[in-house]
């Protein structure tokens, strides 16, 4: 607990209504969760490339699938902490639209 948090907690425990507000505020902040779709692709000649479409610029690499998953988690967390520090909006998957585009062989030839 930081010194500032410790001081607010000390004030709150002496005042029941402040304590309730302090505890509720902390729970609200801590209970929000974020989920992101991550894409992992083989990276030639070996290894894996991972990225998160909703977080532009977030790309990482891992020699193994386990490594790229670990690196993705660290990169996402770092990116979100930066957004929060800069008071930027943290996007949610519901903010994005996902679709698949299909093309025939004939369309490719005509291009």
């Amino acid at each position: 607990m930081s010194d500032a948090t410790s001081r607010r907690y000390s004030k709150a425990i002496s005042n029941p209504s402040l304590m309730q507000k302090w505890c509720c505020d902390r729970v609200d902040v801590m209970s929000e969760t974020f989920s992101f779709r991550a894409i992992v692709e083989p990276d030639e000649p070996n290894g894996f490339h991972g990225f998160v479409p909703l977080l532009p610029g977030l790309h990482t690499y891992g020699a193994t699938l386990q490594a790229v998953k670990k690196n993705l988690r660290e990169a996402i967390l770092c990116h979100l902490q930066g957004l929060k520090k800069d008071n930027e909006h943290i996007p949610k998957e519901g903010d994005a639209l996902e679709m698949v585009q299909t093309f025939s062989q004939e369309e490719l030839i005509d291009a």
Side-chain angles (χ1 to χ4, degrees):
M1 193 180 300
S2 71
D3 288 341
T5 303
S6 182
R7 283 192 298 275
R8 284 193 304 273
Y9 177 76
S10 295
K11 285 181 184 179
I13 59 173
S14 64
N15 182 331
S17 63
L18 277 179
M19 183 62 173
Q20 183 177 4
K21 180 181 179 344
W22 187 83
C23 289
C24 290
D25 288 348
R26 296 209 21 111
V27 168
D28 288 345
V29 169
M30 294 167 47
S31 66
E32 189 171 7
T33 60
F34 300 93
S35 297
F36 296 94
R37 183 175 56 94
I39 309 293
V40 176
E41 305 170 321
D43 194 13
E44 297 299 327
N46 56 17
F48 296 91
H49 168 242
F51 64 99
V52 178
L54 200 56
L55 302 174
L58 195 145
H59 294 260
T60 189
Y61 168 85
T64 65
L65 191 54
Q66 182 178 1
V68 78
K69 287 164 87 176
K70 178 181 177 276
N71 293 345
L72 271 168
R73 184 166 181 80
E74 290 174 3
I76 292 168
L77 183 59
C78 181
H79 191 92
L80 296 181
Q81 288 170 337
L83 289 174
K84 194 145 183 87
K85 180 180 176 186
D86 295 340
N87 294 317
E88 297 281 333
H89 170 72
I90 296 178
K92 296 187 178 179
E93 285 296 329
D95 296 343
L97 171 66
E98 183 175 338
M99 66 179 87
V100 175
Q101 297 287 328
T102 305
F103 299 92
S104 69
Q105 283 289 340
E106 290 142 3
E107 288 176 296
L108 295 176
I109 293 169
D110 290 341

